[in-house]
Amino acid sequence: MRSLRQRAIVGGLIWAAIALAIGGVALYYIFDAATQRRFDDTLLDRHLQLVSALGNTGGDVELIEDFLTDPAYLRPYSGRYWQISGADTDTVASRSLFDSLLPEPRDPAPEPQFWTGAGPQGTVRGAYSLVELDDGTSWTVMIAESLAALELERQRFRQGLFSTLALIGVLGIAGAILQTSAIVRPLTKLREDVAHRWDREEALDPGDYPSEVAPLVSDINTLLERNRDIVERGRRQAADLAHALKTPSAILRNALDSLERDGTDIGPAKEALDRVDAQLLRSLARIRAANSGGATQALTNLSGSVDRMARLFRSMPSTHSKRFLTETDPDLRIRMDMQDLEEVLGNILENAFQWSRRTVRLTCGNSENETWIAVEDDGPGIPDQDRREALRSGGRLDTSAPGTGLGLAIATDLVQAYGGAIALSGSEDLGGLSVRISIPTRLGLGPVRT
């Protein structure tokens, strides 16, 4: 179980169940003892009433009923009984005993004692004592009551106790869930804030979180700041390497041009140098992508980059005779570094203009999860079975045409670094190739799960 919320809820429920079980057992025994004590106190009160009645009669047990007003003593087998017996007289009992008697105790004492035994109908509990009157006579005074009423009271208490504990358990479960949710809410907020930080482009404020979470927030800010510094250093190093390699490549190209002017066939050497330059460009693009991509917070105005690409390609002599149609939203932004975005667009548009007959069209848009760019042309297109090869490094489908075959591969590397993808398909409107670029709207941390 890896969820903190689940751990807290399950742990709280376990301890709540243990507490309810212990509390329920303790309450049961406490109430049971209290009920028993109250039952015995009531027996003592009735025993005292019977002793008082005996004293008031002066030892005439036949008159005792006149001093006992409880109607239960008059109803047969009512569950409430009294009995008096003397050494030289017959035993006198309440009418509720009807044709039965209570068992005589063996050694009665002046102090009341409790006993439990068989009654006329079921088990009874009673009190007895030895009473000496002023005339010197001794009497064994007994009072008894059926335990059915006691058991009924206990049963009602158990039902009430179980119902109360069940209600407390339900409230405890709800309380544990609510309390755990309240405790875990700052962590959930932190997770969402870290994810949406890429949208807001701002640091997290430790003051927005509890004191226990604030140090973690500060550490996250520090980590992200260091990550940004590493990204910037990586990009600078890639740029420095690019400039360092451009000079030797230019020297080699000038030397080859000089040899070509002298009549030397430098076609294979020049093609090899072109491929070296292309591979260097792709390697530099990979380095730059590895140090940016999902780790960058760049948010580029897509319309501005498209306009720059349009001006560039419309000004090239090789594209004067072709139409370049664009459909963009001026407010549309894409989560890519501007340099990376324009390198991707440049490679894809270069291929589109190279193979198109008259028209190239660029459209873009967005949805909840992604921003997309589609580049279509009216050229011959690429067969379905060859589209995977076209995206592969150096995958040239037509070696008779100039180029290195790395344009789409470089674009794919850069797009994948931002968590996006490039898909090739046929253009329904223009009939040629359609290249669709999709970039997620949230980068770095993936979608927020709630």
Side-chain angles (χ1 to χ4, degrees), residues 403-446:
T404 61
L406 291 172
L408 281 177
I410 293 174
T412 300
D413 288 341
L414 287 172
V415 169
Q416 288 178 348
Y418 288 87
I422 292 181
L424 304 182
S425 62
S427 173
E428 296 182 0
D429 296 334
L430 300 182
L433 182 66
S434 174
V435 181
R436 190 180 192 277
I437 306 164
S438 59
I439 300 295
T441 54
R442 183 176 294 114
L443 302 175
L445 298 176

Side-chain angles (χ1 to χ4, degrees), residues 69-384:
T69 59
D70 191 340
Y73 291 138
L74 303 177
R75 189 172 66 253
Y77 304 135
S78 65
R80 190 169 297 170
Y81 316 104
W82 61 264
Q83 179 175 301
I84 298 177
S85 59
D88 300 326
T89 62
D90 294 334
T91 299
V92 179
S94 63
R95 297 184 185 182
S96 57
L97 280 172
F98 196 55
D99 57 353
S100 61
L101 294 175
L102 299 175
E104 290 284 345
R106 292 184 178 180
D107 298 311
E111 290 297 325
Q113 299 179 14
F114 294 101
W115 62 278
T116 302
Q121 288 186 333
T123 305
V124 296
R125 181 172 175 80
Y128 64 90
S129 67
L130 183 64
V131 177
E132 292 186 3
L133 299 181
D134 293 338
D135 58 3
T137 59
S138 298
W139 302 87
T140 300
V141 178
M142 301 180 64
I143 197 83
E145 186 167 349
S146 172
L147 289 177
L150 178 62
E151 290 301 325
L152 179 60
E153 186 175 2
R154 286 174 174 173
Q155 183 178 359
R156 290 174 177 173
F157 169 76
R158 284 194 294 268
Q159 293 175 349
L161 176 63
F162 292 151
S163 299
T164 303
L165 291 179
L167 178 60
I168 294 175
V170 171
L171 294 177
I173 292 174
I177 294 174
L178 293 176
Q179 183 178 11
T180 301
S181 299
I183 293 174
V184 179
R185 187 175 296 116
L187 296 178
T188 303
K189 179 178 182 297
L190 175 60
R191 182 185 64 180
E192 295 176 352
D193 287 349
V194 170
H196 290 300
R197 176 182 182 273
W198 305 100
D199 300 330
R200 295 193 301 265
E201 300 182 6
E202 60 184 22
L204 303 174
D205 184 5
D208 294 339
Y209 303 89
S211 58
E212 294 82 1
V213 183
L216 176 61
V217 176
S218 299
D219 291 342
I220 290 175
N221 282 332
T222 302
L223 179 63
L224 293 175
E225 186 66 29
R226 290 178 180 176
N227 183 67
R228 183 163 51 249
D229 293 341
I230 292 173
V231 168
E232 292 301 325
R233 285 198 300 271
R235 295 179 68 86
R236 286 196 300 268
Q237 291 172 0
D240 293 342
L241 180 59
H243 287 297
L245 293 174
K246 283 180 180 179
T247 300
S249 176
I251 293 173
L252 288 174
R253 193 169 297 280
N254 289 336
L256 290 176
D257 290 341
S258 177
L259 289 174
E260 187 176 23
R261 286 192 297 270
D262 292 339
T264 305
D265 181 14
I266 52 89
K270 197 169 185 179
E271 182 180 354
L273 182 59
D274 289 340
R275 294 187 66 82
V276 169
D277 284 345
Q279 289 288 356
L280 287 175
L281 288 175
R282 188 185 189 195
S283 298
L284 291 173
R286 281 179 169 176
I287 294 173
R288 190 171 69 248
N291 288 282
S292 58
T296 186
Q297 298 184 52
L299 191 62
T300 301
N301 184 289
L302 183 55
S303 178
S305 294
V306 171
D307 290 342
R308 281 189 291 274
M309 290 291 102
R311 288 193 298 269
L312 173 63
F313 281 94
R314 285 168 181 163
S315 65
M316 296 172 60
S318 59
T319 61
H320 279 167
S321 61
K322 298 181 180 181
R323 292 187 306 165
F324 185 23
L325 308 177
T326 61
E327 298 177 12
T328 60
D329 182 351
D331 298 326
L332 186 59
R333 296 162 73 85
I334 188 170
R335 292 213 166 270
M336 284 187 72
D337 176 77
M338 184 179 67
Q339 183 180 354
D340 293 338
L341 171 62
E342 293 184 1
E343 183 165 352
V344 170
L345 291 178
N347 280 300
I348 293 176
L349 287 172
E350 183 179 358
N351 283 338
F353 276 104
Q354 178 180 347
W355 295 102
S356 67
R357 296 184 178 91
R358 285 191 55 81
T359 303
V360 175
R361 183 173 66 186
L362 185 149
T363 56
C364 54
N366 65 342
S367 64
E368 181 180 357
N369 298 319
E370 67 176 10
T371 303
W372 57 268
I373 305 168
V375 177
E376 303 172 84
D377 62 66
D378 59 353
I382 300 177
D384 293 347

